[in-house]
Amino acid sequence: MVAIHAEPSTSTTTHKKNRRKISKKNLKPAEPGQAREGDEDMHEEPISSEVAEAAQAAVLEEDNGNADDDELMIDSDPSSLPAQNAAPSFPPLPASAQRSTLKSETRRIPIPPHRMTPLKKDWVNIFGPLTEILGLQVRMNVQRKAVEIRTSKHTKEVGALQKGADFVKSFALGFDVNDAIALLRLDDLYLDSFEIKDVKTLHGDHLSRAIGRIAGQDGKTKFTIENASRTRIVLADTYVSHFLPLYYLAANLLPSSSKIHILGSFQNIKIARDAIVSLILGSPPGKVYAGLRTVSSRMRQRAL
């Protein structure tokens, strides 16, 4: 067996050495007045001493200006500086600018037929607060069975029209004028309405017994709930008897819609509604009275 020993070629090594020599030549510092190889394109004329002095003076002035700005920023009082993220402050608009003077707004509140007679009887007590307190214009439309109110130049508040509509609507639902007028004087009073069938579906005698449990003997239960929760309650039982055959009347199959309206603050309405729902579901009045006594005692402690 013959082994052949191959020596590395000298051509590759000499080529690498020549490349290193060429790179070293290019990196040698050029003598004064002589440019380096490969710098023919970058050759520039020598800078005069006057231009160099002017450039150095400009750099010094810029550094001095930056130093002066830093001193001013350090010496200044931070409280005197304007806030960067402060919201702009604008004076409040007067009441005359908030309302629309171009067109007056009108609202029509329908009145049920059985409330037209009380409306005519207490009309003086109804339109008086609307005109004096809210500055609205009011009229009774007998043909349409509605009360129409609209704003005028004497209207002071933006929500006066809505307050007046709530006042007339509460009277149309069956509340007394002295109770409904509280809607004009207080801002945290609301009206809440619901039907007995929303709580439990009842028909016939079962519905009548539920209404009797809510009202109580001579209205005793209703008055107790009103006094304990500081609200006013109206039980509206409307029997629809128009355009029905006579055999419906004989068989006592009239459809009825029993509604309950509550006037008061948000928390007081919740207390009264919970008591009424318990009576509808069949709770005895004595148990409801005990719960109302507990709630009323807690309300007195919070008031103190």
Side-chain angles (χ1 to χ4, degrees):
M1 184 175 181
V2 180
I4 299 172
H5 179 69
E7 294 182 358
S9 62
T10 59
S11 60
T12 57
T13 56
T14 55
H15 182 63
K16 290 182 179 179
K17 290 180 180 179
N18 292 335
R19 286 177 60 186
R20 290 177 183 174
K21 288 179 181 180
I22 290 169
S23 62
K24 287 181 180 179
K25 286 181 181 180
N26 292 334
L27 291 174
K28 286 182 180 179
E31 296 179 359
Q34 182 181 1
R36 278 189 293 173
E37 295 180 1
D39 291 348
E40 290 82 6
D41 297 337
M42 299 178 65
H43 179 70
E44 295 179 357
E45 295 181 357
I47 300 174
S48 62
S49 61
E50 296 178 357
V51 176
E53 291 177 358
Q56 188 175 3
V59 172
L60 291 174
E61 288 179 359
E62 186 177 357
D63 294 340
N64 293 333
N66 293 335
D68 294 340
D69 293 342
D70 294 340
E71 290 178 0
L72 289 173
M73 291 298 293
I74 293 171
D75 295 339
S76 61
D77 187 8
S79 61
S80 63
L81 295 176
Q84 297 295 332
N85 298 327
S89 61
F90 299 101
L93 287 175
S96 59
Q98 294 180 6
R99 66 173 181 267
S100 173
T101 56
L102 299 176
K103 183 177 67 173
S104 62
E105 299 179 5
T106 307
R107 195 74 60 89
R108 182 182 290 112
I109 301 96
I111 305 297
H114 68 281
R115 295 296 293 174
M116 286 299 297
T117 302
L119 180 67
K120 295 176 183 179
K121 189 175 181 180
D122 295 333
W123 178 244
V124 178
N125 299 327
I126 291 173
F127 82 85
L130 292 175
T131 55
E132 295 173 2
I133 299 176
L134 301 179
L136 299 172
Q137 295 179 352
V138 192
R139 73 174 182 180
M140 185 198 321
N141 195 333
V142 181
Q143 294 180 352
R144 291 190 174 184
K145 294 182 179 180
V147 174
E148 299 174 354
I149 58 177
R150 71 177 181 182
T151 58
S152 65
K153 62 180 181 179
H154 303 288
T155 306
K156 301 176 183 178
E157 300 180 8
V158 179
L161 190 66
Q162 184 61 42
K163 281 186 176 181
D166 292 340
F167 168 67
V168 178
K169 183 180 178 182
S170 63
F171 180 81
L173 292 176
F175 291 98
D176 190 34
V177 179
N178 297 326
D179 297 332
I181 202 173
L183 289 168
L184 304 180
R185 303 184 182 276
L186 302 176
D187 294 333
D188 58 343
L189 292 183
Y190 305 95
L191 279 171
D192 186 20
S193 301
F194 65 95
E195 297 184 11
I196 293 180
K197 67 179 181 180
D198 296 336
V199 181
K200 188 177 181 180
T201 305
L202 299 173
H203 301 286
D205 294 339
H206 299 287
L207 180 61
S208 301
R209 282 192 290 269
I211 297 173
R213 283 195 300 270
I214 296 171
Q217 186 178 4
D218 298 330
K220 177 183 176 182
T221 305
K222 185 175 83 73
F223 292 147
T224 304
I225 296 174
E226 287 180 348
N227 295 331
S229 60
R230 298 178 184 177
T231 56
R232 289 294 178 265
I233 301 171
V234 169
L235 300 176
D237 191 9
T238 305
Y239 290 96
V240 184
S241 59
H242 301 288
F243 310 109
L244 288 176
L246 292 177
Y247 64 84
Y248 276 97
L249 298 174
N252 196 15
L253 297 176
L254 284 175
S256 61
S257 175
S258 301
K259 285 189 176 182
I260 299 170
H261 310 290
I262 306 174
L263 172 65
S265 62
F266 182 80
Q267 188 66 27
N268 295 342
I269 286 175
K270 183 179 182 304
I271 295 171
R273 186 172 62 242
D274 292 343
I276 293 173
V277 167
S278 300
L279 291 172
I280 293 173
L281 294 177
S283 298
K287 188 175 181 180
V288 176
Y289 291 159
L292 287 174
R293 278 195 294 269
T294 304
V295 171
S296 61
S297 63
R298 288 179 183 175
M299 291 175 64
R300 286 196 211 95
Q301 291 177 0
R302 289 177 184 177
L304 296 175

